Amino acid sequence: MAGSKYAYVRNFELPDPLLPGTFLIFRLDGHSFHRFSTEHQFTKPNDVQALMLMDHAARDVMEEYKDIVLAFGESDEYSFLLRKSTSLYNRRESKICSTLTSYFTSCYVFHWREYFPDVPLLYPPSFDGRIVVYPSSREIRDYFSWRQADTHINNLYNTIFWALVQQGGKTTTDAHAALRGTVSSQKHEMLFKSFGVNYNEIDARFRKGSILVRDIEDEPTPPELPEPTPASSTAGNQSHSEPTSAAETSQKSLKQKKNKAQTKAKTKINLLHCDIIKDEFWDARPHLLE
Amino acid sequence: MAGSKYAYVRNFELPDPLLPGTFLIFRLDGHSFHRFSTEHQFTKPNDVQALMLMDHAARDVMEEYKDIVLAFGESDEYSFLLRKSTSLYNRRESKICSTLTSYFTSCYVFHWREYFPDVPLLYPPSFDGRIVVYPSSREIRDYFSWRQADTHINNLYNTIFWALVQQGGKTTTDAHAALRGTVSSQKHEMLFKSFGVNYNEIDARFRKGSILVRDIEDEPTPPELPEPTPASSTAGNQSHSEPTSAAETSQKSLKQKKNKAQTKAKTKINLLHCDIIKDEFWDARPHLLE
Amino acid sequence: MAGSKYAYVRNFELPDPLLPGTFLIFRLDGHSFHRFSTEHQFTKPNDVQALMLMDHAARDVMEEYKDIVLAFGESDEYSFLLRKSTSLYNRRESKICSTLTSYFTSCYVFHWREYFPDVPLLYPPSFDGRIVVYPSSREIRDYFSWRQADTHINNLYNTIFWALVQQGGKTTTDAHAALRGTVSSQKHEMLFKSFGVNYNEIDARFRKGSILVRDIEDEPTPPELPEPTPASSTAGNQSHSEPTSAAETSQKSLKQKKNKAQTKAKTKINLLHCDIIKDEFWDARPHLLE
Amino acid sequence: MAGSKYAYVRNFELPDPLLPGTFLIFRLDGHSFHRFSTEHQFTKPNDVQALMLMDHAARDVMEEYKDIVLAFGESDEYSFLLRKSTSLYNRRESKICSTLTSYFTSCYVFHWREYFPDVPLLYPPSFDGRIVVYPSSREIRDYFSWRQADTHINNLYNTIFWALVQQGGKTTTDAHAALRGTVSSQKHEMLFKSFGVNYNEIDARFRKGSILVRDIEDEPTPPELPEPTPASSTAGNQSHSEPTSAAETSQKSLKQKKNKAQTKAKTKINLLHCDIIKDEFWDARPHLLE
């Protein structure tokens, strides 16, 4: 066969299996999103449309890859937890990492216009991805605590920073200077005293980030009934059923046909903006860390 | 600082540097593109618009990443050669692999409508990527020979196969059966005798694949002159200046501003459909394997 | 400085850290020990002196490397468990693997004459080593069960095989043939009927392998009292205080001085030949899997 | 089969192949040899017996592993070059690294008494090993230049340092202080003026390190003739046929029988103490870098 004398070059592809029996975290981050958010006029400190687009892309990834049981997003990053028993792509690192990054990116661009109907995409955005292996549930808990604590720190800072700039008339340099060395309680106070804002009443999406969780449905829902509406709607634990876009609906039949064979248990992906540092979230979902 | 007690989870991110002083090949492949090409009614055996979209995305990747000196595409796959001295992202494997896959994917979706104005994208396509490390120029030559020989084998087979189906009225099962065990010369003959097609006159793009090469420009081109038109136009060595779409033009100012700082030498990315197995191509471009 | 222009070659040494928070199993195997055991006239099926030399070398390794809490040996192999929190050599794989293999080998050759005073070492024996990473205690339990089950299977086979050859006058070919397809119970019966041997009465060292365990001493033992004698002495759970050779004694002062700083808790390495598949062994030593 | 339910633990042994088509350098270093050399009263700054023992162990390694074509030793370290086409142990990193380290260690202990008949080995010495992958001959040249330059720097320093201490009556602290900031030429001068020593007349073994090279023999040597004596005997290029110990002779028949099958070409391992930074050594041996 022609070409067979060159086929030896395949031997340079070395195996890259991830350790079995471990949790995998796949995290992706926007590439040069500082510039991207500026060029596309994202609202500061938080652009709800941009965050909802991130959530949409992340949900698509979870719909496609059933071994992802949990995801957490903030700003231009998203982390995904793959169950420790996953054998996705035989746990080949490059294959998993590149494919998930690619699919998320594709969904992001694909759905752009649904969230930014009046802002044309000026150039193709990109993300980088990585996989981190964790041996035990303790580290998984701490990983998500780490990300959510980061969300809190960044959002508190950005909220007061942009208030100083947008409402206080400060330059960005002055705003940074004003915040230097302040602790959390001082920022809360500045926000309240100067701008009348109670930080804890800010949208939970901004304060807590986005949690996409694959929940097990207790009872089979008859198809003719509407989807169950999440009961809770406190600021700290909001569950959204994102408005379904027209484009989404038109793709449904395709998706359903495609995923039918893979679906094993009755599960539903819920979007929450709740605390995931304390035990409550996890105690209610022991299957996440199995 | 809040969150610092969780920050230890970062220590589980292990380093993944690629060996210095080696050539890197980054290859990506369409994920489930058999289905994708069917759903989007790609012409068989080759859809020139789909191939041009692949070339466009590949060219964008090369514009963005200057250490890529050569790329080869066929069907839904593309291979990129990074010069052996590259220090892109400190040669971190996941970072390079995921970012390049992401950017290519993004460009593919972004430019879709320019190539398929009448075929809406039904769902987000994705690609997987991998990096293979090669120690010497010998293996790089053989790698590209391997891919181009593969293009030849596949295209010859597909050309006669689809002729049998589309013009010969055979079922796909019968067409496969008719080709079983035939060697190259027999396929050429079948094609000519039954369908009057001289394989060697088929579009070089299909027979040779797409070569994107970063060529060094001999003399600085004054900006007011049009781009030099490639001289050669033999079947085996065609060089295209892809028609520039409106969308491309509108993005030019952005791109130019962005890339200016990175540009070091006068180089130009040319698209060719020529032989890269024999020495001629390489002898003319010693810088590729430096 | 002379030589600095060559120092770049150090950059090719890539990092090889093992995943934090995981148990490490270091296993070594004799290299070509079939030949080695023949050349040095090891008794078949088990040479107690050779096994005691392996145990001695393994104990030396454990004395030197305090993060090894358990070891299991059979025939010419030994497995060592490093606690999951170990930061030995910053968990660098090559460093740990090569150093432990080297030290074991050195001890084996160094102590040879104590166990084989009349058999000169004809040539230098060697071992190969590897490190396997395990995320949880379940796999560690199963790893040691796997090795001890292997000991059982091999020893039962070898015991009846060599009885057939040595006492039954069969050729090795005939002995293998006689055993082909027999299950465990049949081998027990053959052994008892033909040779009057009750397999369960054979030395536990041969049936169970050697377990070296770092036990925590409950109370500080006053130096004037003799070492506590292990209570159990059933066939399945024998604990030996190996006779201390003269060479060992002469090295004691050195060792003691050297290890003093490293000793943190009152621990003692015990040699056992007991079951480690069932829970009892592990329930008594929860610290092993912490 | 008993034990099969545990055998899954084998799946945690991940593959570790080294990149094909690359040169492999295996380097080992004495573990805590500062203490070891003190305890065993090695002569300072160089103990010729200790160096000859290192050379002997290294030669044994090369006799056993035919894919090693070159080795360089200084002090308590040795580097070995494996040809780039080697498929030793399928290029599995741990296997190669641990086995070579083990065998070297074993030879070192095994031959100790031949070189130190009056100094009993007080405890088992050990070495650590590592493998570094190099893509091209340039880096191999530079690697060996790096090591030999290191030998020069260290030996010059140690020679004057120990002269100051042993003959000059300085404390080690004072000797270090006297040398602080001195350049090479000053050290040469100090050595000559204070102690009448011309550094270039010191034993080449100390100044150049030990080179073990697998040379191709031009013509088959008839077995009845003595081995050819190396012609050159200048200070910078001495070739030794180490005196063969009794122990070596007694093992010869074994070795010869064992290695016969592996021997493919007429080669001979020569010990040199010559320059390997300049081209001459390499130009005479093009096969080393093939």
Side-chain angles (χ1 to χ4, degrees):
Chain A
M1 181 173 135
S4 60
K5 73 172 168 172
Y6 305 123
Y8 80 93
V9 297
R10 273 188 303 199
N11 300 332
F12 289 74
E13 290 190 34
L14 302 183
D16 65 345
L18 294 161
L19 189 65
T22 51
F23 296 96
L24 308 182
I25 295 275
F26 165 66
R27 181 167 83 244
L28 50 75
D29 290 89
H31 182 68
S32 297
F33 258 53
H34 187 77
R35 179 171 92 92
F36 184 81
S37 63
T38 303
E39 301 263 12
H40 294 86
Q41 284 125 24
F42 283 7
T43 303
K44 299 290 180 183
N46 292 290
D47 187 299
V48 71
Q49 290 302 110
L51 292 174
M52 284 171 70
L53 173 54
M54 289 291 289
D55 294 344
H56 194 149
R59 181 190 284 271
D60 281 359
V61 170
M62 286 183 74
E63 295 283 3
E64 192 69 22
Y65 294 93
K66 303 300 185 191
D67 281 348
I68 301 174
V69 293
L70 179 66
F72 177 80
E74 59 162 320
S75 183
D76 63 344
E77 75 163 56
Y78 238 102
S79 298
F80 298 84
L81 170 64
L82 286 90
R83 64 175 85 249
K84 72 177 175 180
S85 62
T86 188
S87 59
L88 179 64
Y89 302 135
N90 290 320
R91 298 178 76 95
R92 286 154 54 205
E93 182 166 11
S94 284
K95 179 86 175 181
I96 300 174
C97 182
S98 64
T99 306
L100 297 191
T101 309
S102 175
Y103 190 59
F104 184 95
T105 307
S106 195
C107 295
Y108 190 92
V109 179
F110 185 83
H111 295 300
W112 175 267
R113 268 183 302 168
E114 300 160 36
Y115 295 89
F116 293 97
D118 304 323
V119 185
L121 201 48
L122 297 172
Y123 59 88
S126 61
F127 296 83
D128 70 78
R130 82 200 63 192
I131 288 174
V132 188
V133 170
Y134 288 104
S136 82
S137 57
R138 180 71 261 152
E139 292 119 12
I140 295 302
R141 284 288 307 270
D142 289 346
Y143 178 86
F144 284 101
S145 295
W146 178 51
R147 298 324 301 146
Q148 193 168 57
D150 185 76
T151 304
H152 170 72
I153 293 161
N154 290 338
N155 189 60
L156 178 57
Y157 189 95
N158 292 338
T159 300
I160 175 70
F161 175 84
W162 286 104
L164 289 168
V165 172
Q166 291 165 351
Q167 299 166 51
K170 284 200 192 298
T171 65
T172 55
T173 308
D174 288 348
H176 280 305
L179 292 170
R180 196 160 296 135
T182 58
V183 296
S184 182
S185 58
Q186 293 169 303
K187 293 195 187 77
H188 277 268
E189 203 176 299
M190 282 169 77
L191 203 52
F192 189 72
K193 289 206 173 150
S194 304
F195 306 103
V197 174
N198 182 341
Y199 182 74
N200 292 324
E201 286 171 3
I202 284 174
D203 189 348
R205 182 192 286 273
F206 305 153
R207 290 182 294 111
K208 299 295 180 187
S210 292
I211 294 100
L212 283 165
V213 59
R214 190 181 300 279
D215 281 328
I216 296 169
E217 296 199 288
D218 293 335
E219 312 173 56
T221 314
E224 59 277 14
L225 290 184
E227 293 200 330
T229 312
S232 140
S233 62
T234 64
N237 194 343
Q238 293 171 320
S239 172
H240 299 279
S241 293
E242 298 288 344
T244 307
S245 71
E248 267 183 302
T249 312
S250 72
Q251 290 156 38
K252 280 226 163 152
S253 54
L254 252 176
K255 266 280 176 48
Q256 280 167 351
K257 195 173 60 192
K258 190 176 161 199
N259 287 331
K260 199 172 52 181
Q262 291 171 254
T263 311
K264 281 165 192 166
K266 289 267 174 197
T267 63
K268 183 172 184 301
I269 298 168
N270 289 312
L271 174 65
L272 310 172
H273 308 292
C274 65
D275 176 89
I276 55 170
I277 296 179
K278 291 197 282 288
D279 293 336
E280 188 187 345
F281 173 83
W282 302 91
D283 287 348
R285 297 166 178 87
H287 64 284
L288 297 180
L289 298 176
E290 262 160 19
Chain B
M1 181 175 133
S4 61
K5 72 172 169 172
Y6 305 123
Y8 80 93
V9 297
R10 274 188 302 199
N11 299 332
F12 289 74
E13 290 190 35
L14 303 183
D16 65 345
L18 293 161
L19 189 66
T22 51
F23 296 96
L24 308 183
I25 294 274
F26 165 66
R27 181 167 83 243
L28 51 75
D29 291 89
H31 181 69
S32 297
F33 258 54
H34 186 77
R35 178 170 94 91
F36 184 82
S37 63
T38 304
E39 301 264 11
H40 294 86
Q41 284 125 26
F42 282 10
T43 303
K44 301 289 182 185
N46 293 291
D47 187 299
V48 72
Q49 292 301 111
L51 293 173
M52 286 170 70
L53 173 54
M54 289 291 289
D55 294 345
H56 193 148
R59 182 189 284 270
D60 281 358
V61 170
M62 287 182 74
E63 295 283 4
E64 192 70 23
Y65 295 94
K66 302 299 185 192
D67 282 348
I68 301 174
V69 293
L70 179 67
F72 176 79
E74 61 163 317
S75 183
D76 62 344
E77 76 163 56
Y78 238 101
S79 299
F80 298 85
L81 171 64
L82 285 89
R83 65 174 83 251
K84 73 177 174 179
S85 62
T86 187
S87 59
L88 178 63
Y89 301 136
N90 289 319
R91 298 177 76 94
R92 287 152 54 204
E93 181 166 13
S94 284
K95 180 86 174 179
I96 300 172
C97 181
S98 64
T99 306
L100 296 191
T101 309
S102 176
Y103 190 58
F104 184 94
T105 306
S106 196
C107 295
Y108 190 92
V109 178
F110 186 83
H111 295 300
W112 174 267
R113 268 182 303 168
E114 299 160 36
Y115 295 89
F116 293 96
D118 303 323
V119 185
L121 200 49
L122 296 173
Y123 60 88
S126 61
F127 296 83
D128 70 78
R130 82 200 64 192
I131 288 174
V132 188
V133 170
Y134 289 104
S136 82
S137 57
R138 180 71 262 152
E139 292 118 13
I140 296 301
R141 286 287 308 270
D142 289 345
Y143 177 86
F144 284 102
S145 295
W146 178 51
R147 297 326 299 146
Q148 194 169 57
D150 185 75
T151 304
H152 170 72
I153 293 162
N154 290 337
N155 189 60
L156 178 56
Y157 189 95
N158 291 337
T159 301
I160 174 69
F161 175 84
W162 287 105
L164 288 169
V165 171
Q166 292 165 351
Q167 300 166 52
K170 283 201 192 297
T171 65
T172 55
T173 308
D174 287 348
H176 280 305
L179 291 170
R180 196 157 297 135
T182 59
V183 296
S184 183
S185 59
Q186 292 169 304
K187 293 196 188 76
H188 277 268
E189 204 177 298
M190 282 170 78
L191 204 52
F192 189 72
K193 289 206 172 149
S194 304
F195 306 102
V197 173
N198 182 342
Y199 182 75
N200 293 326
E201 286 170 4
I202 285 174
D203 189 348
R205 182 192 285 273
F206 305 152
R207 288 182 295 108
K208 298 295 181 189
S210 292
I211 295 98
L212 283 164
V213 60
R214 191 181 300 280
D215 281 327
I216 296 167
E217 297 199 287
D218 292 336
E219 313 173 55
T221 315
E224 60 277 16
L225 289 184
E227 294 200 331
T229 311
S232 141
S233 62
T234 64
N237 194 346
Q238 293 171 321
S239 173
H240 300 279
S241 292
E242 297 289 344
T244 306
S245 70
E248 267 181 301
T249 312
S250 72
Q251 290 153 39
K252 281 224 163 152
S253 55
L254 251 177
K255 267 279 176 51
Q256 279 166 354
K257 194 174 59 189
K258 191 176 160 198
N259 288 331
K260 199 172 51 180
Q262 292 171 254
T263 310
K264 281 164 191 165
K266 287 268 174 197
T267 63
K268 183 171 182 303
I269 299 167
N270 288 313
L271 174 65
L272 310 171
H273 308 290
C274 65
D275 177 89
I276 55 171
I277 296 179
K278 292 196 282 287
D279 292 337
E280 188 187 347
F281 172 84
W282 302 91
D283 286 349
R285 297 167 178 88
H287 63 284
L288 296 181
L289 298 176
E290 262 160 21
Chain C
M1 181 174 132
S4 63
K5 73 172 168 172
Y6 305 123
Y8 79 93
V9 297
R10 273 188 303 199
N11 299 332
F12 289 74
E13 290 189 35
L14 302 182
D16 64 346
L18 293 161
L19 188 66
T22 52
F23 296 96
L24 308 182
I25 294 274
F26 165 66
R27 181 167 82 243
L28 51 74
D29 291 88
H31 182 68
S32 298
F33 258 53
H34 187 76
R35 179 170 94 91
F36 184 80
S37 62
T38 304
E39 301 263 11
H40 294 85
Q41 284 124 26
F42 283 8
T43 303
K44 300 288 182 186
N46 292 291
D47 188 299
V48 72
Q49 290 302 110
L51 292 174
M52 285 172 70
L53 173 54
M54 290 291 289
D55 294 345
H56 194 150
R59 182 190 284 270
D60 281 359
V61 170
M62 287 182 74
E63 295 283 2
E64 193 69 23
Y65 294 93
K66 302 301 184 190
D67 281 348
I68 301 174
V69 292
L70 179 66
F72 176 79
E74 60 162 320
S75 183
D76 63 343
E77 75 163 56
Y78 237 102
S79 298
F80 298 85
L81 171 64
L82 285 90
R83 65 175 84 248
K84 73 177 175 181
S85 62
T86 188
S87 59
L88 178 63
Y89 300 135
N90 289 320
R91 298 178 77 94
R92 287 153 54 205
E93 182 166 12
S94 284
K95 180 86 174 180
I96 299 173
C97 181
S98 64
T99 305
L100 296 190
T101 309
S102 176
Y103 190 58
F104 184 94
T105 306
S106 195
C107 294
Y108 190 92
V109 178
F110 185 82
H111 295 300
W112 173 268
R113 267 182 302 167
E114 299 160 36
Y115 294 90
F116 293 97
D118 304 323
V119 185
L121 202 48
L122 296 173
Y123 61 88
S126 61
F127 296 84
D128 70 79
R130 83 201 61 194
I131 288 174
V132 188
V133 170
Y134 289 103
S136 81
S137 57
R138 179 71 262 153
E139 292 118 12
I140 295 302
R141 285 288 307 270
D142 288 345
Y143 178 85
F144 284 101
S145 294
W146 177 51
R147 298 324 300 145
Q148 192 169 55
D150 185 75
T151 304
H152 170 71
I153 293 161
N154 289 338
N155 189 59
L156 178 56
Y157 189 95
N158 291 338
T159 300
I160 174 70
F161 175 84
W162 287 104
L164 289 169
V165 172
Q166 292 165 350
Q167 300 166 51
K170 285 200 192 297
T171 65
T172 54
T173 309
D174 287 349
H176 279 306
L179 292 170
R180 196 159 297 135
T182 59
V183 296
S184 183
S185 59
Q186 292 170 304
K187 292 195 188 78
H188 277 268
E189 204 177 299
M190 282 169 77
L191 204 53
F192 189 72
K193 289 206 173 150
S194 305
F195 306 103
V197 173
N198 182 340
Y199 181 75
N200 292 325
E201 286 171 3
I202 284 174
D203 189 348
R205 182 191 286 272
F206 305 153
R207 289 182 294 111
K208 300 294 181 187
S210 290
I211 295 100
L212 283 164
V213 59
R214 191 180 300 278
D215 281 327
I216 296 168
E217 297 200 288
D218 293 335
E219 314 173 53
T221 315
E224 59 276 14
L225 289 184
E227 292 200 331
T229 312
S232 141
S233 61
T234 64
N237 194 344
Q238 293 170 320
S239 172
H240 299 279
S241 293
E242 298 287 345
T244 308
S245 71
E248 267 182 301
T249 311
S250 72
Q251 289 154 39
K252 280 225 164 154
S253 54
L254 252 176
K255 269 279 176 51
Q256 279 166 353
K257 194 173 58 191
K258 189 175 162 201
N259 288 330
K260 199 172 52 180
Q262 292 171 253
T263 310
K264 280 164 191 164
K266 290 266 174 197
T267 63
K268 183 172 183 302
I269 298 168
N270 288 313
L271 174 65
L272 309 172
H273 308 291
C274 65
D275 177 89
I276 56 171
I277 297 179
K278 292 196 281 290
D279 293 338
E280 188 187 347
F281 172 84
W282 302 91
D283 288 347
R285 296 166 179 87
H287 63 283
L288 297 180
L289 298 176
E290 261 161 20
Chain D
M1 183 174 132
S4 61
K5 71 172 170 173
Y6 304 123
Y8 79 93
V9 297
R10 273 188 302 198
N11 300 332
F12 288 75
E13 289 190 36
L14 303 183
D16 65 344
L18 294 161
L19 189 66
T22 51
F23 296 96
L24 308 182
I25 294 274
F26 165 67
R27 180 167 85 245
L28 51 75
D29 290 270
H31 182 70
S32 297
F33 258 53
H34 187 78
R35 178 171 93 91
F36 184 81
S37 63
T38 304
E39 300 263 12
H40 294 87
Q41 284 125 25
F42 282 10
T43 302
K44 300 289 181 185
N46 292 292
D47 187 299
V48 72
Q49 291 301 110
L51 293 173
M52 285 171 70
L53 172 54
M54 288 292 288
D55 295 344
H56 193 149
R59 182 188 284 270
D60 282 358
V61 170
M62 286 182 74
E63 295 283 4
E64 192 69 23
Y65 294 94
K66 303 299 185 191
D67 281 349
I68 301 173
V69 293
L70 179 66
F72 176 80
E74 61 163 317
S75 184
D76 63 344
E77 74 164 56
Y78 238 101
S79 298
F80 298 85
L81 171 63
L82 286 89
R83 63 174 85 250
K84 73 177 175 179
S85 62
T86 187
S87 59
L88 178 63
Y89 301 136
N90 290 319
R91 299 176 77 94
R92 287 154 53 206
E93 181 166 12
S94 284
K95 179 86 174 180
I96 299 173
C97 181
S98 64
T99 305
L100 296 191
T101 309
S102 175
Y103 190 58
F104 184 93
T105 306
S106 195
C107 295
Y108 190 92
V109 178
F110 185 83
H111 295 300
W112 174 268
R113 268 182 303 168
E114 300 161 36
Y115 294 89
F116 293 97
D118 304 323
V119 185
L121 201 48
L122 295 173
Y123 59 88
S126 60
F127 296 84
D128 70 79
R130 81 199 65 192
I131 288 174
V132 188
V133 170
Y134 289 103
S136 81
S137 57
R138 179 70 261 151
E139 292 118 12
I140 295 301
R141 284 288 307 270
D142 288 346
Y143 177 86
F144 284 101
S145 296
W146 178 50
R147 298 325 300 147
Q148 193 169 57
D150 185 75
T151 303
H152 171 72
I153 293 161
N154 290 337
N155 189 59
L156 178 56
Y157 189 95
N158 291 336
T159 300
I160 175 70
F161 175 84
W162 286 105
L164 289 168
V165 171
Q166 291 166 351
Q167 299 165 52
K170 283 200 192 297
T171 64
T172 54
T173 308
D174 287 349
H176 280 305
L179 292 170
R180 196 159 298 136
T182 58
V183 297
S184 183
S185 59
Q186 293 169 303
K187 293 196 188 77
H188 277 268
E189 204 176 298
M190 282 170 76
L191 204 52
F192 189 72
K193 290 207 172 150
S194 304
F195 305 102
V197 173
N198 182 341
Y199 181 75
N200 293 325
E201 286 170 3
I202 285 174
D203 188 348
R205 182 192 285 272
F206 305 152
R207 289 182 296 109
K208 299 294 181 188
S210 292
I211 295 98
L212 283 164
V213 60
R214 191 181 299 279
D215 281 327
I216 296 168
E217 297 200 287
D218 292 336
E219 315 173 54
T221 315
E224 60 278 15
L225 290 183
E227 294 199 331
T229 311
S232 142
S233 62
T234 65
N237 195 344
Q238 293 172 319
S239 173
H240 299 278
S241 293
E242 296 289 344
T244 306
S245 70
E248 267 181 301
T249 312
S250 72
Q251 289 155 39
K252 280 224 164 153
S253 54
L254 252 176
K255 267 279 174 51
Q256 280 167 352
K257 195 174 59 191
K258 189 175 160 200
N259 288 332
K260 199 171 51 180
Q262 291 170 256
T263 310
K264 282 164 191 165
K266 289 267 174 197
T267 63
K268 183 171 181 303
I269 299 167
N270 288 314
L271 174 65
L272 310 172
H273 308 291
C274 65
D275 177 89
I276 55 171
I277 296 179
K278 292 196 283 286
D279 293 337
E280 187 187 347
F281 172 84
W282 302 91
D283 287 348
R285 296 167 178 87
H287 63 284
L288 296 181
L289 298 176
E290 263 160 19

